[in-house]
Amino acid sequence: MKINSLKERIQNAVLIAERIVGKKESLPVLSCILLEADTDLIIRATNLEAGVTIRVPAVVEEKGIVAVPSTILSQTIRSIITDTLTIQLDDSNLLIESKGTKTLIKSLPHNEFPSFGVVDEKQLNNVSIQRVGFMEALKSVLYAASSSMIRPELGSVYLSIKDNILLCVATDSFRLAEKTIQGVDYSVVKDILIPLKHAVELVHVLERVDADIVRISSDDSQIIVMADNIQYVSRVVDAPFPNYKEIIPKTFTTEATVLKNDFAEMLRKARVFAGADQQVGLHVYPSRKVFSATARSNDVGEMSDTIDAAISGDDVDIKFHIGYLADCLSSINSDSIVLSFSGANRALVIKGVSDQSFLYLVMPLNR
């Protein structure tokens, strides 16, 4: 094995692969990145639940394959200051050379490296979508998924493709985020559940590629995402996603339109005074044209803030977890937001005034 390539290209590929490597002590090769010199340099990593394959343009003088620890490889390449690298085998170990530096990295048996993540693209039925739109859709809902996999469908991000529309949804049963993306090049119904951990990995990958278009394919066991020279594969969850449309209120008793930044600032102040339980009370009195928030803690004190709002409907006093209210704000592409209340102790729906592609539902604290 002997190849020459630009350091930047290899470093970017290794940074992506490093995020996917496994950490099982029973299979040390999972902590490795596999480098294969063929027509180009192919870099692979897997944790047995997800895998990534990256093709790096390179001048290949000799073909070969090697598996080396990802952390050592990453740190070595970062430390090199020259623009080009020569990578070759030296008695089955990896030798990296550049002007003024030479590094030998001990390898592990590459035949123990799992084949997970190797997919023949010719066999796939692809969905095409704008990379930036897909990445933003995932980021818009990730935080609403459960961090536990006790109920796998709640610890996942739900993708539904129908009539050239991608619906991206996550819920932990206390709140729910839904993002809609138009213009998907696919019209047949396709539903996919990606475990939260792998959805986060996928965002990490998408942020580090330049492709305008991403291709998505799936079957009963995995999702494959392709962008230029990168192929990411993840296992999917085999479980039905909750019929969440049924819990979204159809009518509302109170509505308030406020500036998003005003609401965010009010929540930031409330967080300081809310103590360990992080409760904030919202008080909406249309008859008096008052929209206010209160929070208190025996250790810190208490606060009460009022902001300008256009409000209508019935008076309502209701408590929420501050984090659950604040988490959604960065996902709303609008200067003003609408808070739609369905009554005391019932769900609140938040939308952007000029961004109808995003919906957020949060349940109150009933105490």
Side-chain angles (χ1 to χ4, degrees):
M1 173 185 182
K2 185 175 182 180
I3 68 104
N4 295 282
S5 185
L6 293 176
K7 174 209 168 181
E8 183 180 6
R9 290 174 175 173
I10 297 177
Q11 181 172 308
N12 289 341
V14 169
L15 284 175
I16 292 172
E18 188 179 24
R19 182 69 175 263
I20 315 299
V21 296
K23 297 178 175 62
K24 291 187 178 180
E25 294 181 1
S26 58
L27 193 57
V29 77
L30 281 182
S31 66
C32 290
I33 289 175
L34 189 76
L35 294 89
E36 180 179 358
D38 192 6
T39 54
D40 287 313
L41 174 63
I42 301 170
I43 291 177
R44 291 193 175 98
T46 182
N47 53 38
L48 296 183
E49 293 293 325
V52 66
T53 300
I54 308 159
R55 186 174 291 273
V56 180
V59 176
V60 179
E61 297 183 24
E62 295 179 18
K63 295 184 178 181
I65 186 169
V66 65
V68 292
S70 65
T71 302
I72 297 173
L73 177 62
S74 176
Q75 291 176 350
T76 298
I77 292 175
R78 287 177 188 173
S79 68
I80 295 172
I81 60 174
T82 55
D83 294 334
T84 59
L85 301 177
T86 298
I87 297 177
Q88 59 187 317
L89 292 184
D90 183 347
D91 192 23
S92 80
N93 296 314
L94 187 68
L95 179 64
I96 302 177
E97 293 182 278
S98 63
K99 186 177 181 180
T101 181
K102 180 184 293 187
T103 305
L104 184 72
I105 303 176
K106 295 287 187 178
S107 67
L108 275 72
H110 64 80
N111 55 355
E112 296 180 5
F113 194 86
S115 61
F116 184 91
V118 180
V119 178
D120 184 358
E121 295 186 23
K122 296 178 182 178
Q123 304 298 318
L124 302 178
N125 188 7
N126 297 325
V127 178
S128 294
I129 185 172
Q130 291 285 333
R131 177 186 64 88
V132 172
F134 181 43
M135 181 175 65
E136 290 303 319
L138 290 171
K139 292 167 70 174
S140 294
V141 305
L142 285 174
Y143 54 86
S146 172
S147 58
S148 168
M149 287 299 284
I150 294 176
R151 292 184 60 186
E153 69 277 14
L154 300 185
S156 304
V157 174
Y158 172 64
L159 303 180
S160 179
I161 302 168
K162 182 180 179 182
D163 298 331
N164 305 111
I165 295 173
L166 169 68
L167 205 60
C168 196
V169 189
T171 180
D172 60 4
S173 78
F174 299 105
R175 40 55 178 296
L176 177 144
E178 176 196 76
K179 180 72 173 180
T180 303
I181 300 294
Q182 305 280 346
V184 179
D185 184 17
Y186 201 79
S187 58
V188 180
V189 176
K190 183 185 288 284
D191 294 336
I192 307 166
L193 266 177
I194 311 175
L196 175 60
K197 173 186 175 183
H198 303 315
V200 173
E201 289 174 350
L202 179 53
V203 169
H204 176 81
V205 171
L206 293 174
E207 286 177 335
R208 285 156 180 79
V209 299
D210 297 324
D212 293 330
I213 300 295
V214 168
R215 292 174 293 148
I216 306 169
S217 190
S218 69
D219 56 29
D220 292 339
S221 63
Q222 62 186 5
I223 179 174
I224 304 99
V225 179
M226 292 156 288
D228 284 349
N229 60 340
I230 295 179
Q231 184 184 88
Y232 176 84
V233 181
S234 165
R235 297 197 188 279
V236 297
V237 173
D238 183 17
F241 195 71
N243 186 8
Y244 69 94
K245 293 287 187 181
E246 292 185 351
I247 68 171
I248 299 175
K250 304 298 187 293
T251 59
F252 301 100
T253 59
T254 310
E255 287 196 342
T257 301
V258 300
L259 289 173
K260 183 175 68 173
N261 287 343
D262 287 352
F263 188 61
E265 190 59 39
M266 186 166 67
L267 294 179
R268 275 193 288 270
K269 183 175 179 181
R271 196 185 292 271
V272 175
F273 290 88
D277 59 13
Q278 287 293 284
Q279 286 189 22
V280 61
L282 298 185
H283 314 285
V284 188
Y285 306 140
S287 58
R288 287 184 274 162
K289 299 181 180 180
V290 171
F291 184 100
S292 65
T294 57
R296 62 178 301 169
S297 164
N298 291 333
D299 296 328
V300 181
E302 59 185 271
M303 61 78 70
S304 176
D305 269 14
T306 300
I307 60 175
D308 294 334
I311 49 181
S312 61
D314 303 331
D315 291 355
V316 62
D317 294 289
I318 191 166
K319 290 183 178 181
F320 294 95
H321 188 282
I322 294 172
Y324 284 6
L325 288 178
D327 284 348
C328 73
L329 298 181
S330 62
S331 300
I332 301 175
N333 298 318
S334 177
D335 291 335
S336 299
I337 58 175
V338 179
L339 291 85
S340 300
F341 300 86
S342 52
N345 298 323
R346 301 190 66 183
L348 163 67
V349 172
I350 303 176
K351 292 183 178 181
V353 170
S354 59
D355 177 19
Q356 295 301 305
S357 68
F358 179 78
L359 177 147
Y360 186 74
L361 178 146
V362 57
M363 300 302 295
L365 299 171
N366 297 320
R367 53 180 178 152

